Coordinates of all heavy atoms in Angstrom, one line a residue:
V1687 N 13.0 -17.0 13.2 CA 12.2 -17.8 12.3 C 13.1 -18.5 11.2 O 12.5 -19.3 10.5 CB 11.1 -17.0 11.6 CG1 10.0 -16.5 12.7 CG2 11.6 -16.0 10.7
G1688 N 14.3 -18.2 11.2 CA 15.2 -18.9 10.3 C 15.5 -18.3 9.0 O 16.2 -18.8 8.1
L1689 N 15.2 -17.0 8.9 CA 15.7 -16.2 7.7 C 17.3 -15.9 7.7 O 17.8 -15.4 8.7 CB 15.0 -14.8 7.6 CG 13.7 -14.6 6.9 CD1 13.3 -13.2 7.0 CD2 13.8 -15.0 5.5
P1690 N 17.9 -16.4 6.7 CA 19.4 -16.3 6.7 C 19.8 -14.8 6.8 O 19.0 -13.9 6.2 CB 19.8 -16.9 5.4 CG 18.7 -17.8 5.0 CD 17.6 -17.1 5.5
P1691 N 21.0 -14.4 7.2 CA 21.4 -12.9 7.3 C 21.4 -12.3 5.8 O 21.7 -13.0 4.9 CB 22.7 -13.0 7.8 CG 23.1 -14.5 8.2 CD 21.9 -15.3 7.9
G1692 N 21.0 -11.1 5.8 CA 21.1 -10.4 4.6 C 19.8 -10.7 3.6 O 19.7 -9.9 2.6
V1693 N 18.9 -11.5 4.0 CA 17.8 -11.7 3.0 C 16.9 -10.6 3.3 O 16.4 -10.1 2.2 CB 17.1 -13.1 3.4 CG1 15.8 -13.2 2.7 CG2 18.0 -14.3 3.2
V1694 N 16.5 -10.2 4.4 CA 15.7 -8.9 4.6 C 16.5 -7.9 5.4 O 16.9 -8.3 6.5 CB 14.4 -9.1 5.2 CG1 13.5 -7.9 5.3 CG2 13.6 -10.3 4.5
N1695 N 16.8 -6.8 4.8 CA 17.5 -5.7 5.6 C 16.6 -4.6 5.7 O 15.8 -4.3 4.7 CB 18.7 -5.3 4.8 CG 19.6 -6.5 4.5 OD1 20.4 -6.8 5.2 ND2 19.4 -7.1 3.3
V1696 N 16.6 -3.9 6.8 CA 15.6 -2.8 7.1 C 16.5 -1.5 7.4 O 17.3 -1.5 8.4 CB 14.7 -3.1 8.2 CG1 13.6 -1.9 8.4 CG2 13.9 -4.3 8.1
V1697 N 16.1 -0.5 6.6 CA 16.8 0.9 6.8 C 15.7 1.9 7.0 O 14.6 1.8 6.2 CB 17.7 1.3 5.7 CG1 19.0 0.3 5.7 CG2 16.9 1.3 4.4
N1698 N 15.8 2.8 7.9 CA 14.9 3.7 8.1 C 15.5 5.2 7.7 O 16.7 5.5 8.0 CB 14.4 4.0 9.5 CG 13.2 2.8 9.6 OD1 12.2 2.9 9.0 ND2 13.4 1.7 10.4
G1699 N 14.6 6.0 7.1 CA 15.3 7.3 6.7 C 14.2 8.0 5.9 O 13.1 7.6 5.7
F1700 N 14.7 9.1 5.3 CA 13.7 10.0 4.6 C 13.8 9.7 3.0 O 14.7 9.0 2.6 CB 14.1 11.6 4.8 CG 13.8 11.8 6.3 CD1 14.9 11.7 7.2 CD2 12.6 12.2 6.8 CE1 14.9 12.1 8.5 CE2 12.5 12.5 8.1 CZ 13.6 12.3 9.0
G1701 N 12.8 10.2 2.3 CA 12.7 9.9 0.9 C 13.9 10.3 0.2 O 14.5 9.4 -0.6
E1702 N 14.3 11.6 0.2 CA 15.4 11.9 -0.6 C 16.8 11.3 -0.3 O 17.5 11.0 -1.2 CB 15.7 13.5 -0.5 CG 14.5 14.2 -1.2 CD 14.5 14.2 -2.7 OE1 15.6 14.0 -3.2 OE2 13.5 14.4 -3.3
S1703 N 16.9 11.2 1.0 CA 18.3 10.7 1.4 C 18.4 9.2 1.7 O 19.5 8.7 1.9 CB 18.7 11.6 2.7 OG 17.7 11.5 3.7
C1704 N 17.3 8.5 1.8 CA 17.4 7.1 2.0 C 16.7 6.3 0.9 O 17.2 5.4 0.3 CB 16.8 6.9 3.4 SG 16.7 5.2 3.8
G1705 N 15.4 6.7 0.5 CA 14.8 6.1 -0.6 C 15.4 6.2 -1.9 O 15.6 5.2 -2.6
A1706 N 15.7 7.4 -2.2 CA 16.3 7.8 -3.4 C 17.6 7.0 -3.8 O 17.8 6.4 -4.8 CB 16.5 9.3 -3.7
P1707 N 18.5 7.0 -2.9 CA 19.8 6.1 -3.1 C 19.5 4.6 -3.2 O 20.2 4.0 -4.0 CB 20.6 6.3 -1.8 CG 19.9 7.3 -1.0 CD 18.8 7.8 -1.6
L1708 N 18.5 4.1 -2.6 CA 18.0 2.8 -2.8 C 17.6 2.5 -4.3 O 17.9 1.5 -5.0 CB 16.9 2.4 -1.9 CG 16.5 1.0 -1.9 CD1 17.6 -0.1 -1.6 CD2 15.2 0.8 -0.8
V1709 N 16.8 3.5 -4.8 CA 16.3 3.4 -6.1 C 17.4 3.5 -7.2 O 17.3 2.8 -8.1 CB 15.2 4.5 -6.4 CG1 14.8 4.5 -7.8 CG2 14.0 4.4 -5.5
A1710 N 18.4 4.4 -6.8 CA 19.5 4.5 -7.8 C 20.5 3.5 -7.7 O 21.4 3.4 -8.7 CB 20.1 5.9 -7.5
H1711 N 20.6 2.7 -6.7 CA 21.7 1.7 -6.5 C 21.7 0.7 -7.6 O 20.9 -0.1 -8.0 CB 21.5 1.0 -5.2 CG 22.8 0.6 -4.7 ND1 23.6 -0.4 -5.4 CD2 23.5 0.8 -3.5 CE1 24.7 -0.6 -4.6 NE2 24.6 0.2 -3.4
P1712 N 23.1 0.6 -8.2 CA 23.2 -0.3 -9.3 C 22.9 -1.8 -9.0 O 22.8 -2.6 -9.9 CB 24.6 0.1 -9.9 CG 25.3 0.7 -8.8 CD 24.2 1.4 -8.0
L1713 N 23.2 -2.1 -7.8 CA 23.0 -3.6 -7.3 C 21.7 -4.0 -6.9 O 21.4 -5.1 -6.6 CB 24.0 -3.9 -6.3 CG 25.5 -3.6 -6.6 CD1 26.4 -4.1 -5.4 CD2 25.9 -4.5 -7.8
V1714 N 20.8 -3.1 -7.1 CA 19.3 -3.4 -6.9 C 18.6 -3.7 -8.2 O 18.7 -3.0 -9.2 CB 18.6 -2.2 -6.2 CG1 17.0 -2.5 -6.1 CG2 19.1 -2.0 -4.9
D1715 N 17.9 -4.8 -8.3 CA 17.3 -5.3 -9.5 C 15.9 -4.8 -9.8 O 15.3 -4.7 -10.8 CB 17.2 -6.8 -9.6 CG 18.6 -7.3 -9.5 OD1 19.4 -7.1 -10.5 OD2 19.1 -8.0 -8.5
K1716 N 15.3 -4.5 -8.6 CA 13.8 -4.1 -8.8 C 13.3 -3.2 -7.6 O 13.9 -3.4 -6.4 CB 13.0 -5.4 -8.7 CG 11.5 -5.2 -8.9 CD 10.6 -6.0 -7.9 CE 9.4 -5.2 -7.8 NZ 8.4 -5.6 -8.8

Side-chain angles (χ1 to χ4, degrees):
V1687 301
L1689 271 180
V1693 173
V1694 184
N1695 306 275
V1696 184
V1697 292
N1698 279 296
F1700 298 93
E1702 289 290 335
S1703 49
C1704 180
L1708 181 58
V1709 175
H1711 204 295
L1713 298 183
V1714 173
D1715 299 293
K1716 185 230 156 79

